Amino acid sequence: MKTVIVVGNGMVGYKFCKKFVAKETSKDYKLIVFGDEPRPAYDRVHLSEFFENQDAKALEMAPAAWYAENGIALMVNERVSDINRTDKTITTAKNREFTYDYLVLATGSSAFVPPIKGVEKEGVFVYRTIEDLEGMLSYAAKLKAKNPNAKAAVLGGGLLGLEAGKAVMDMGLEPHIVEFAPKLMPRQLDSRSSQVLQLKLESIGLHIHLSKATNQILGDEAITGMEFGEDDVLDVEMLVISAGIRPRDELGKSSGLKMGVRGGITVNNKMQTSDENIYAIGEIALYNQMIYGLVAPGYEMAAVAVDQIIGKTDNLMAAEIDMSTKLKLIGVDVASFGEPFMPAAKGHSVIFENKTQYLYKRINVSLDGKKLLGGILVGDATDYSMLHQIYLNDMPIPSDPSKLILPAGDGAASFGSVMDLPDTAVVCSCEAVTKGQVCCSVKDDGNETVKAVAKATKATTGCGGCKPMVTDLVNETLKSLGKVVKERICEHFDYSRQELYDIVKMKKIQDYDELLDTHGKGNGCEVCKPLAASLFASIFNETANAQDTIQDTNDRYLANIQRNGTYSVVPRVAGGEISPIQMIAMGRIAQKYDLYTKITGGQRIDMFGAKLHELPLIWEELIAEGFETGQAYGKSLRTVKSCVGSTWCRYGMDESISFAIEIENRYKGIRSPHKFKGGVSGCIRECAEARGKDFGFIAVEGGWNIYIGGNGGATPKHALLLAEKVDKETAIKYVDRFLMYYIQTAQPLMRTAAWLDKLEGGIDYVKDVVINDCLGIVDQLDIEMQHLVDTYKCEWKEAVENPEIRAKYTHFVNSTEADENIEFVSLREQKMPAPWA
């Protein structure tokens, strides 16, 4: 039995192990893995998620037990210190010696620390490992105990630097990003896309400092600031360095392997080093005179090394490495593919930019307009997968290339079908799965669900970014076989949401157990229970109090749970209009229960930090002052945002506040497949951002324009025009019908923007349904909406007045005592949850 030793147990080292044990011949080898961190491999790409729950296990690629189950000897917390190539042995820092037949170096990289005077001071960290993050958390807690308004800087405005900025913000420190270049992400973005990203990051609280060269770190023993020039100083009490990486190639140097001039171990297209028995993969491998700092090329290198070792020598590393990537940085989509930067002599660029929505899209096309050469997406990267495939497979593009990036309705994206891709197109880069493999898995092997295809091919099991495309391929392949493609809710109900909607409505079923007994199987799950609760609410206007055991946590307690187990309370403030007496009352109540208060983007006042047993007490006082539930916890209407319109504004075309209040009060109790939001703008200056909402009204000369299907958040979409210059009554009628049609036909947890994108016929079909009555259902839609409006109940009031419901608001099942383990720390004269230990 031959021995393979892997030095390094990061993401690429783990991928090597996973691919190796999947081979039938792996039983002929003994596999030993060394990692110098105290835990198995974890997902370093999503390292910042550690701040959400401080659960290292959640980031694990596989637990220690996985290695044992697959016959892998895992040595954690043990660094390999020496390689003897002559004897084919390695020695560890614990002075243990092991013999190998093949050696795989996957030691990755370490953080580059610039030679800045004072960089050794206390409070200066690198952002690389879980241990680094734990040190940062501990130090930040000490800082905030002394100064709640403490500031921290991140040195580096690249990919990792921006992730570190999110980490600093999550720790409750004022975040500053310091970048030497004149733009953020200088390697991935052009100047304009970088500006759009900067605007977005600044809007969420990051302070950006560009073109800054740090001369020294100020302070005696601990950092107190950064000096850029004689009179240019940034006062900070903590610094996180994320200024790049350096390959951890010291074993290559000490053992005499061929090295690159600037570091890295030189490899050929077999991933072999200058020693044919030693392979290098990941960020220490210098291939084509380049170090590739992305995980996808590292995974490809791992696959090649595995095949070479087991004798499958025809699998070689591609001559050119695709550096395309799609990331979500601090909740912002950023993607680039092909040639993101391109000289004018080589082709043309088509650019779509909307800074108000923090959107930037650029594609580069050949001079003859026939080929897609690359591009950049910021703010909305939903089209990345298809654009990337068009580029990789040299597919034809529209005669007007702008159709590839214009928002739907403004020219409409023009991609064609996923079935147009060649069979050789790699749809899952993590596992190198092609379109042909996915389709054959369906056609030839009988795998008719995404789950079954994933199990057979490993597609979607890596980063998961390919899942939408794999889903489309599975569905389209099934259709081509003449099979009905059905969106089942879950294993307990063999129906789509729309089918179950009709069953509940026609048979007047209002109890989950009855629905499960008559039309389902098993005991139900976290998917079908909330869905059924949503149907009962949408059809019968049943409140969340009626069957609380099938509700999501937030709906069960009629409040949003926060990260320390407390709740937020959001009373409805229709249209954003609130009287001085109500403001005083809300302030008094928040002060009495020591709640953190914040004005939301939807023109409400949010009060955080309420303990479970306090919720009915707070609601009781709010109800006495004329407030009611804002339903910010439910899949329901959140807000109808308004500007001041003609009431106060000199540009106002109509009275938008009164209209917004009327609309919010009309839809305030409606439950739907997902949350929805509205806006009413008094003129085309659009201060209420009505075109970024699920429905919106804009006052114009001659009436109101109606827009539907807008969306903010991670995938912003402009709403599309449904009707123009209609009176208020007609506008309400059309939106009533649109909402009811959406409620009846959308998939679970699908926003109106996604629903409209998927709806065959799109906006024109919706117009036909709700305005022209092409289905003959508008009278019924009108009746059903009016029923929901007429039967509204305030769930808070119901909970307060019903002793049985009120009794559930206790922390402990056997005691009425409060939970004294909840901790808070000071934040700008208010409070916030204490960081998790």
Side-chain angles (χ1 to χ4, degrees):
M1 180 175 284
K2 293 184 177 181
T3 299
V4 179
I5 291 180
V6 181
V7 183
N9 188 36
M11 296 177 72
V12 173
Y14 162 75
K15 183 63 71 171
F16 176 91
C17 295
K18 185 179 178 183
K19 288 184 176 292
F20 197 91
V21 297
K23 303 292 184 180
E24 288 186 11
T25 54
S26 65
K27 62 182 181 296
D28 299 329
Y29 297 82
K30 181 181 180 182
L31 192 56
I32 306 174
V33 183
F34 290 88
D36 58 6
E37 291 189 53
R39 54 176 54 86
Y42 57 88
D43 185 354
R44 206 183 302 273
V45 172
H46 297 97
L47 192 58
S48 64
E49 293 177 11
F50 180 72
F51 290 95
E52 294 177 12
N53 51 27
Q54 295 174 38
D55 181 7
K57 288 283 184 185
L59 291 174
E60 273 187 0
M61 307 288 285
W66 177 86
Y67 294 84
E69 289 165 4
N70 287 281
I72 303 170
L74 174 63
M75 314 288 184
V76 296
N77 216 12
E78 187 160 5
R79 181 174 60 85
V80 173
S81 56
D82 186 56
I83 300 172
N84 185 325
R85 291 168 51 196
T86 304
D87 297 337
K88 296 176 76 172
T89 62
I90 60 101
T91 305
T92 74
K94 294 180 180 179
N95 207 29
R96 297 203 293 167
E97 189 175 275
F98 297 81
T99 302
Y100 66 84
D101 292 287
Y102 299 102
L103 182 64
V104 179
L105 300 178
T107 47
S109 61
S110 58
F112 168 63
V113 180
I116 301 170
K117 183 180 177 182
V119 77
E120 73 289 345
K121 295 186 190 300
E122 185 182 2
V124 179
F125 298 85
V126 294
Y127 186 79
R128 195 68 185 156
T129 68
I130 286 178
E131 284 67 39
D132 293 333
L133 270 59
E134 288 174 335
M136 291 162 58
L137 278 167
S138 176
Y139 197 79
K142 292 177 185 176
L143 288 180
K144 289 189 293 181
K146 296 177 184 176
N147 175 17
N149 301 316
K151 302 176 183 177
V154 175
L155 185 62
L159 295 173
L160 285 176
L162 296 180
E163 285 295 326
K166 169 68 160 54
V168 165
M169 194 158 55
D170 286 345
M171 287 185 287
L173 302 175
E174 183 180 297
H176 293 258
I177 304 289
V178 177
E179 168 58 43
F180 177 76
K183 62 180 181 178
L184 295 173
M185 294 182 65
R187 293 188 178 185
Q188 289 85 13
L189 302 182
D190 59 15
S191 295
R192 293 177 68 167
S193 58
S194 183
Q195 287 172 10
V196 171
L197 178 62
Q198 181 177 344
L199 286 172
K200 175 61 178 177
L201 297 181
E202 287 174 337
S203 75
I204 61 176
L206 268 72
H207 302 267
I208 311 293
H209 309 267
L210 301 175
S211 302
K212 296 290 184 183
T214 308
N215 293 338
Q216 64 173 320
I217 308 298
L218 303 176
D220 296 328
E221 293 184 359
I223 178 175
T224 59
M226 303 169 68
E227 182 201 296
F228 309 119
E230 190 173 336
D231 298 315
D232 192 359
V233 172
L234 176 62
D235 294 328
V236 291
E237 294 149 277
M238 186 168 126
L239 173 63
V240 181
I241 295 177
S242 184
I245 58 173
R246 287 288 183 268
R248 292 186 56 190
D249 55 9
E250 54 271 17
L251 284 174
K253 292 175 185 174
S254 63
S255 61
L257 295 175
K258 184 179 178 182
M259 308 292 294
V261 176
R262 296 183 178 179
I265 301 173
T266 303
V267 294
N268 59 20
N269 59 1
K270 299 178 180 180
M271 292 297 104
Q272 285 175 318
T273 66
S274 53
D275 185 323
E276 64 178 11
N277 296 308
I278 300 178
Y279 295 78
I281 57 177
E283 291 172 329
I284 62 159
L286 185 72
Y287 180 61
N288 289 343
Q289 297 301 308
M290 271 194 69
I291 296 288
Y292 298 91
L294 297 175
V295 73
Y299 285 175
E300 291 178 41
M301 292 175 180
V304 170
V306 166
D307 283 344
Q308 292 295 325
I309 289 172
I310 66 172
K312 190 179 177 182
T313 55
D314 57 338
N315 184 16
L316 304 173
M317 199 68 185
E320 293 186 15
I321 304 297
D322 179 25
M323 293 296 285
S324 304
T325 184
K326 175 176 176 284
L327 303 157
K328 188 176 285 290
L329 294 167
I330 321 183
V332 184
D333 278 345
V334 177
S336 65
F337 63 94
E339 294 187 57
F341 316 114
M342 194 183 64
K346 191 172 181 179
H348 304 295
S349 294
V350 181
I351 294 172
F352 170 78
E353 182 179 64
N354 182 350
K355 287 183 178 178
T356 63
Q357 295 288 320
Y358 309 111
L359 284 176
Y360 178 89
K361 298 183 181 184
R362 165 182 172 168
I363 54 172
N364 303 319
V365 299
S366 58
L367 290 171
D368 61 7
K370 294 183 178 179
K371 291 184 179 180
L372 182 62
L373 303 180
I376 296 170
L377 305 170
V378 173
D380 177 11
T382 50
D383 298 331
Y384 166 79
S385 293
M386 199 63 194
L387 289 170
H388 188 210
Q389 290 296 339
I390 292 171
Y391 156 72
L392 285 177
N393 297 288
D394 203 17
M395 294 169 66
I397 61 176
S399 56
D400 178 5
S402 68
K403 290 183 178 180
L404 292 172
I405 56 172
L406 284 177
D410 294 338
S414 179
F415 296 125
S417 166
V418 287
M419 299 302 282
D420 295 335
L421 295 173
D423 286 345
T424 55
V426 177
V427 296
C428 174
S429 58
C430 292
E431 297 293 337
V433 182
T434 65
K435 173 215 169 185
Q437 288 173 294
V438 172
C439 295
C440 286
S441 181
V442 178
K443 288 189 292 187
D444 301 338
D445 302 332
N447 297 312
E448 298 189 357
T449 65
V450 174
K451 188 175 181 180
V453 169
K455 185 176 181 180
T457 67
K458 305 302 181 188
T460 76
T461 61
C463 70
C466 63
K467 191 170 184 179
M469 185 168 283
V470 171
T471 301
D472 287 344
L473 282 172
V474 171
N475 290 342
E476 291 302 317
T477 304
L478 288 172
K479 288 178 184 176
S480 71
L481 297 173
K483 298 193 175 184
V484 176
V485 177
K486 191 170 182 178
E487 294 284 349
R488 286 198 318 160
I489 291 168
C490 67
E491 62 188 277
H492 303 108
F493 287 98
D494 194 23
Y495 299 101
S496 67
R497 180 189 176 276
Q498 188 173 357
E499 288 171 333
L500 205 61
Y501 181 101
D502 292 336
I503 289 169
V504 170
K505 182 178 176 182
M506 297 304 173
K507 298 192 175 182
K508 294 183 170 54
I509 298 173
Q510 290 184 250
D511 179 78
Y512 176 75
D513 290 335
E514 181 187 347
L515 182 64
L516 191 64
D517 290 342
T518 55
H519 294 86
K521 59 187 176 182
N523 298 314
C525 64
E526 69 277 4
V527 174
C528 60
K529 287 179 180 179
L531 186 145
S534 173
L535 294 181
F536 298 146
S538 294
I539 297 169
F540 307 113
N541 223 1
E542 178 181 280
T543 69
N545 293 314
Q547 301 181 67
D548 65 341
T549 57
I550 63 172
Q551 306 289 341
D552 282 324
T553 302
N554 289 341
D555 295 74
R556 185 173 301 179
Y557 292 110
L558 312 181
N560 281 346
I561 192 168
Q562 303 304 314
R563 67 181 174 93
N564 68 339
T566 59
Y567 293 81
S568 66
V569 178
V570 192
R572 185 168 302 284
V573 179
E577 182 181 85
I578 184 169
S579 70
I581 293 174
Q582 286 179 312
M583 278 198 289
I584 291 168
M586 196 179 290
R588 174 183 58 76
I589 294 167
Q591 186 178 43
K592 177 177 177 179
Y593 292 96
D594 189 24
L595 305 177
Y596 169 93
T597 54
K598 181 186 180 298
I599 295 175
T600 72
Q603 297 178 333
R604 288 188 185 168
I605 297 174
D606 206 340
M607 300 184 286
F608 295 84
K611 296 178 181 179
L612 183 61
H613 72 281
E614 294 175 331
L615 287 175
L617 302 174
I618 295 169
W619 297 338
E620 209 162 26
E621 295 198 40
L622 287 169
I623 291 166
E625 298 291 347
F627 291 104
E628 59 187 2
T629 172
Q631 286 185 310
Y633 47 84
K635 301 297 181 282
S636 55
L637 177 71
R638 291 300 169 88
T639 61
V640 179
K641 189 173 183 179
S642 75
C643 63
V644 295
S646 60
T647 307
W648 292 95
C649 180
R650 57 201 170 108
Y651 298 111
M653 300 290 294
D654 211 322
E655 220 287 80
S656 54
I657 302 177
S658 297
F659 194 10
I661 292 171
E662 181 180 349
I663 288 294
E664 184 158 345
N665 284 327
R666 182 171 182 81
Y667 301 143
K668 62 188 177 184
I670 295 173
R671 296 296 179 117
S672 58
H674 210 305
K675 65 183 178 185
F676 61 101
K677 303 176 182 181
V680 182
S681 288
C683 73
I684 58 171
R685 285 167 179 79
E686 257 283 71
C687 293
E689 301 164 336
R691 286 198 66 190
K693 302 290 190 290
D694 297 276
F695 65 87
F697 305 92
I698 300 176
V700 294
E701 191 74 47
W704 296 91
N705 286 357
I706 311 169
Y707 295 86
I708 61 169
N711 203 119
T715 53
K717 294 280 186 182
H718 252 165
L720 305 179
L721 184 66
L722 178 68
E724 54 185 330
K725 295 183 180 179
V726 297
D727 59 53
K728 189 172 71 171
E729 289 70 25
T730 303
I732 294 172
K733 181 169 62 177
Y734 288 167
V735 172
D736 279 357
R737 295 171 180 175
F738 152 65
L739 288 175
M740 282 308 305
Y741 190 55
Y742 158 68
I743 288 169
Q744 292 179 6
T745 60
Q747 293 299 323
L749 301 180
M750 179 180 276
R751 290 288 298 271
T752 60
W755 171 78
L756 194 54
D757 280 347
K758 293 279 186 182
L759 192 67
E760 191 171 344
I763 186 66
D764 291 331
Y765 181 69
V766 175
K767 288 178 183 178
D768 239 9
V769 171
V770 304
I771 298 175
N772 302 327
D773 196 16
C774 67
L775 300 179
I777 62 171
V778 296
D779 289 342
Q780 187 61 32
L781 295 177
D782 292 343
I783 292 169
E784 291 174 1
M785 174 57 77
Q786 195 58 48
H787 169 72
L788 295 180
V789 173
D790 293 341
T791 55
Y792 166 76
K793 292 178 184 176
C794 172
E795 289 171 327
W796 284 357
K797 191 170 187 291
E798 189 177 42
V800 165
E801 294 177 350
N802 185 312
E804 186 178 343
I805 297 173
R806 187 165 182 159
K808 74 181 180 182
Y809 289 90
T810 57
H811 286 282
F812 308 105
V813 295
N814 59 350
S815 172
T816 57
E817 291 182 7
D819 185 355
E820 299 304 332
N821 295 313
I822 296 173
E823 296 181 37
F824 296 95
V825 294
S826 178
L827 176 68
R828 292 182 292 278
E829 299 183 7
Q830 294 201 74
K831 68 178 184 181
M832 64 172 278
W836 283 309

